[in-house]
Amino acid sequence: MAIKSVGVIGAGQMGNGIAHVMALAGYDVVLNDISEDALAAAIAKIDKNLARQASREVITEEQKADTLKRIRTTTRLADAGAVDLVIESATERETVKQAIFEDLLPHVQPHTILTSNTSSISITRLASRTDRPEKFMGFHFMNPVPVMQLVELIRGIATDQETFDSCKEVVAKLGKTAATAEDFPAFIVNRILMPMINEAVYTLYEGVGNVESIDSSMKLGANHPMGPLELADFIGLDTCLAIMNVLHDGLADTKYRPCPLLTKYVEAGWLGRKSQRGFYDYRGDTPVPTR
């Protein structure tokens, strides 16, 4: 099936990036959120990121203008259903995602493919709550979406070949690379990445090193572009904790037990960059370690 229109549900950090790359690739995009302020902020962010690409001559000014014209915003979920492909990109909570798909179903077309940008939740389970499990799959972008080259494509147990092929074609049109993952907790990237971040938090919790020494060790000793604690702040500590809980609950292995310090930071509302405090304090000119 040729996909021409895309509905993106959720205008946050991931949603605005998905809308950006989809519109830039020529798709007509309907960007939905419950908040008008979130939609306005998303369009401003997309405009800023497109301007950065234009200044670096990655795209032309004409492409920038055309891309913005292809994005329509709405607070009505029904508007996001009248498309060929839906990408749900709401908060990483299964109950929220299930409620969105339930409310969306009366408004989708018979051929509409439903996907979720979830980073860890069972695709099979989400699909089972819809009327089209064969046309449902995981479409997991990496953050920041305009920059990162990978998209994880995750089939549920019922996903048919036509749906998979259509989504793989979209990834190719975006100029990104698809990695096929099986539907097990956290898929590939986060199955490997999150336990590393969690272990870095344990290393901090147990006093083996402080924030600065842990991040410096992994940047200079393992050639990582960001230290694990810096990366956790960038992702969001609440998201990291949610994924570790999915791994722990889904695989029933104690090696995935979230570090108590990670839980404590989330309880404090210190979620990383988005709340101005996490393993670093971002309220000043330069990030300062909090431990």
Side-chain angles (χ1 to χ4, degrees):
M1 187 189 78
I3 292 170
K4 296 178 180 176
S5 56
V6 179
V8 180
I9 300 171
Q13 190 174 34
M14 296 300 291
N16 76 64
I18 295 168
H20 172 149
V21 298
M22 287 289 176
L24 184 58
Y27 295 102
D28 293 321
V29 176
V30 180
L31 179 59
N32 164 262
D33 200 281
I34 56 173
S35 164
E36 288 278 11
D37 289 344
L39 289 169
I43 293 298
K45 182 77 178 287
I46 292 167
D47 191 8
K48 181 180 175 184
N49 287 338
L50 286 167
R52 184 182 293 118
Q53 288 179 308
S55 70
R56 294 174 180 170
E57 298 184 349
V58 175
I59 63 172
T60 64
E61 287 292 340
E62 186 180 7
Q63 283 177 297
K64 175 181 180 291
D66 288 345
T67 298
L68 288 169
K69 285 177 191 171
R70 287 193 202 98
I71 303 172
R72 179 164 68 93
T73 62
T74 178
T75 55
R76 294 181 68 248
L77 189 61
D79 296 338
V83 294
D84 300 323
L85 170 67
V86 171
I87 303 174
E88 171 276 317
S89 187
T91 187
E92 191 68 359
R93 285 169 53 197
E94 188 166 348
T95 53
V96 172
K97 294 179 185 297
Q98 286 176 344
I100 286 169
F101 286 118
E102 188 177 314
D103 292 344
L104 187 69
L105 284 178
H107 309 290
V108 298
Q109 302 176 79
H111 70 271
T112 300
I113 293 172
L114 301 179
T115 69
S116 176
N117 183 53
T118 179
S119 52
S120 61
I121 296 167
S122 168
I123 298 303
T124 299
R125 201 160 57 234
L126 287 174
S128 72
R129 303 291 290 269
T130 74
D131 64 352
R132 60 194 68 204
E134 72 286 350
K135 289 187 177 298
F136 193 110
M137 65 182 297
F139 208 124
H140 180 218
F141 289 85
M142 306 298 123
N143 186 32
V145 179
V147 176
M148 301 296 279
Q149 291 301 301
L150 186 76
V151 178
E152 281 184 313
L153 292 179
I154 307 101
R155 298 183 203 229
I157 198 169
T159 306
D160 64 25
Q161 189 63 39
E162 184 185 6
T163 298
F164 177 81
D165 290 344
S166 295
C167 290
K168 192 172 183 182
E169 193 175 309
V170 171
V171 175
K173 193 173 176 183
L174 296 177
K176 296 186 184 293
T177 299
T180 307
E182 294 300 316
D183 186 23
F184 289 98
F187 319 130
I188 296 172
V189 173
N190 283 317
R191 172 76 177 263
I192 296 166
L193 175 64
M194 285 303 157
M196 184 198 77
I197 286 174
N198 194 52
E199 195 60 32
V201 183
Y202 267 114
T203 305
L204 179 65
Y205 176 63
E206 294 168 4
V208 179
N210 60 24
V211 169
E212 193 172 17
S213 62
I214 291 165
D215 277 351
S216 294
S217 294
M218 294 309 292
K219 284 192 284 190
L220 302 179
N223 206 27
H224 289 191
M226 295 173 75
L229 302 176
E230 183 186 4
L231 180 56
D233 276 358
F234 180 74
I235 294 167
L237 304 193
D238 52 340
T239 301
C240 294
L241 179 60
I243 296 170
M244 287 308 302
N245 280 325
V246 166
L247 281 165
H248 191 230
D249 295 343
L251 298 171
D253 192 323
T254 55
K255 73 179 180 180
Y256 299 116
R257 183 171 70 97
C259 179
L261 184 60
L262 178 61
T263 303
K264 191 62 66 181
Y265 268 67
V266 173
E267 287 174 347
W270 291 20
L271 308 180
R273 284 184 176 273
K274 61 186 173 186
S275 67
Q276 296 293 295
R277 274 193 292 189
F279 293 113
Y280 292 85
D281 189 326
Y282 300 92
R283 293 174 296 176
D285 294 335
T286 308
V288 177
T290 54
R291 288 180 87 85

